[in-house]
Amino acid sequence: MAETGNALLDQMPEADRNLILQCATRVPLMLGDDLVAPGDRILHAHFPLAGIISTVNEMADGRSVEAFMVGREGVAGIEATVIPMTSASRQTIQVTGEALRVDTARIRMLVDEHPSIRRTLALYHAEIQRELEQTSACHALHPAHRRLAKWLLRCHDRADGDVMQLTQEYMAAMLGSQRTTVSEAAQLLQAEGAVSYARGQVRVLDRRALERASCECYRKIVVHQEAAA
């Protein structure tokens, strides 16, 4: 059977993949739309074929920070594929695309009936947990321009091309920083020739320069994912 375009589904045995595809619906992912809000039951899992879904934690004072992002490598809503879950975070569309949507109740039935599906999803969930642990240390210990470089690399890994529509306000919200901090960080990356930034558009000019500017966390996350693949 032809590949779906979602790496997590495509690494499954064909029989497992078919079981999920039989109950999947292709849906658009529109920039700025929310899939889940804090306090909502997680009723659907989304396997992106293109685009990026961000899971964002929000504070009472209105500030927010991105916990992790999901592109065509994974699935959003993984935490509800074993037991019913209420979301503590917001799932929002960061980059327009499309996804395969599956009811989480149906996935839980498949997980109970097919240990190989359970194992694939459990391994991916473990990858997300490692990324969360690394990101927690990153936010506490690394300077803004290195965190921004890491975050842009994570976006670039999932984007189609070198140009990404990302406003300073949005980047600040995702990094849990002030807009002025993000502006200064972006200027440093521009000075190093890694990116250009104008009118809410980030263009990656030199991927290697962006990797050099990033903190160690980007490489650690990638190594974990490559080891798990």
Side-chain angles (χ1 to χ4, degrees):
M1 183 176 178
E3 293 185 345
T4 66
N6 177 274
L8 185 63
L9 290 175
D10 292 338
Q11 76 183 47
M12 292 182 180
E14 184 173 337
D16 289 350
R17 184 165 70 248
N18 286 342
L19 287 169
I20 293 177
L21 292 178
Q22 285 169 11
C23 49
T25 302
R26 189 181 292 256
V27 296
L29 301 176
M30 303 304 295
L31 179 65
D33 282 357
D34 291 338
L35 299 178
V36 177
D40 288 352
R41 293 296 292 269
I42 304 175
L43 300 178
H44 302 101
H46 290 83
F47 296 84
L49 308 177
I52 300 175
I53 301 170
S54 289
T55 294
V56 180
N57 290 338
E58 299 173 338
M59 300 295 110
D61 62 4
R63 290 181 298 171
S64 63
V65 64
E66 183 185 75
F68 62 93
M69 66 177 76
V70 176
R72 59 171 61 94
E73 83 290 345
V75 57
I78 182 67
E79 61 268 43
T81 58
V82 176
I83 60 173
M85 290 286 290
T86 297
S87 182
S89 305
R90 185 178 301 277
Q91 290 179 12
T92 188
I93 308 306
Q94 176 181 313
V95 174
T96 296
E98 61 178 344
L100 294 172
R101 184 179 66 194
V102 185
D103 290 350
T104 49
R106 179 57 183 160
I107 292 184
R108 289 194 293 270
M109 292 176 60
L110 294 175
V111 163
D112 287 342
E113 296 167 0
H114 301 276
S116 54
I117 294 178
R118 174 188 288 271
R119 183 178 184 276
T120 298
L121 295 177
L123 288 173
Y124 177 71
H125 201 179
E127 289 179 35
I128 294 296
Q129 180 60 37
R130 281 193 290 262
E131 182 168 352
L132 287 169
E133 293 167 358
Q134 193 68 43
T135 298
S136 177
C138 183
H139 281 308
L141 300 175
H142 292 148
H145 76 285
R146 298 203 179 278
R147 290 191 290 115
L148 178 59
K150 181 203 74 172
W151 187 79
L152 290 174
L153 285 167
R154 301 292 284 146
C155 294
H156 192 231
D157 287 342
R158 295 163 171 81
D160 294 318
D162 294 331
V163 178
M164 298 173 284
Q165 304 298 324
L166 300 168
T167 65
Q168 281 188 6
E169 182 179 12
Y170 186 81
M171 289 188 287
M174 293 302 97
L175 293 170
S177 301
Q178 299 293 325
R179 287 183 62 181
T180 53
T181 302
V182 169
S183 178
E184 292 169 359
Q187 288 173 14
L188 283 173
L189 296 179
Q190 288 189 97
E192 294 175 9
V195 302
S196 64
Y197 179 77
R199 298 182 178 86
Q201 186 178 87
V202 176
R203 180 184 296 273
V204 177
L205 300 176
D206 188 333
R207 169 81 188 201
R208 290 186 178 181
L210 194 58
E211 291 176 355
R212 289 193 298 270
S214 173
C215 58
E216 66 197 81
C217 297
Y218 173 74
R219 187 58 194 162
K220 285 186 175 180
I221 291 169
V222 170
V223 166
H224 281 313
Q225 291 178 340
E226 290 175 344

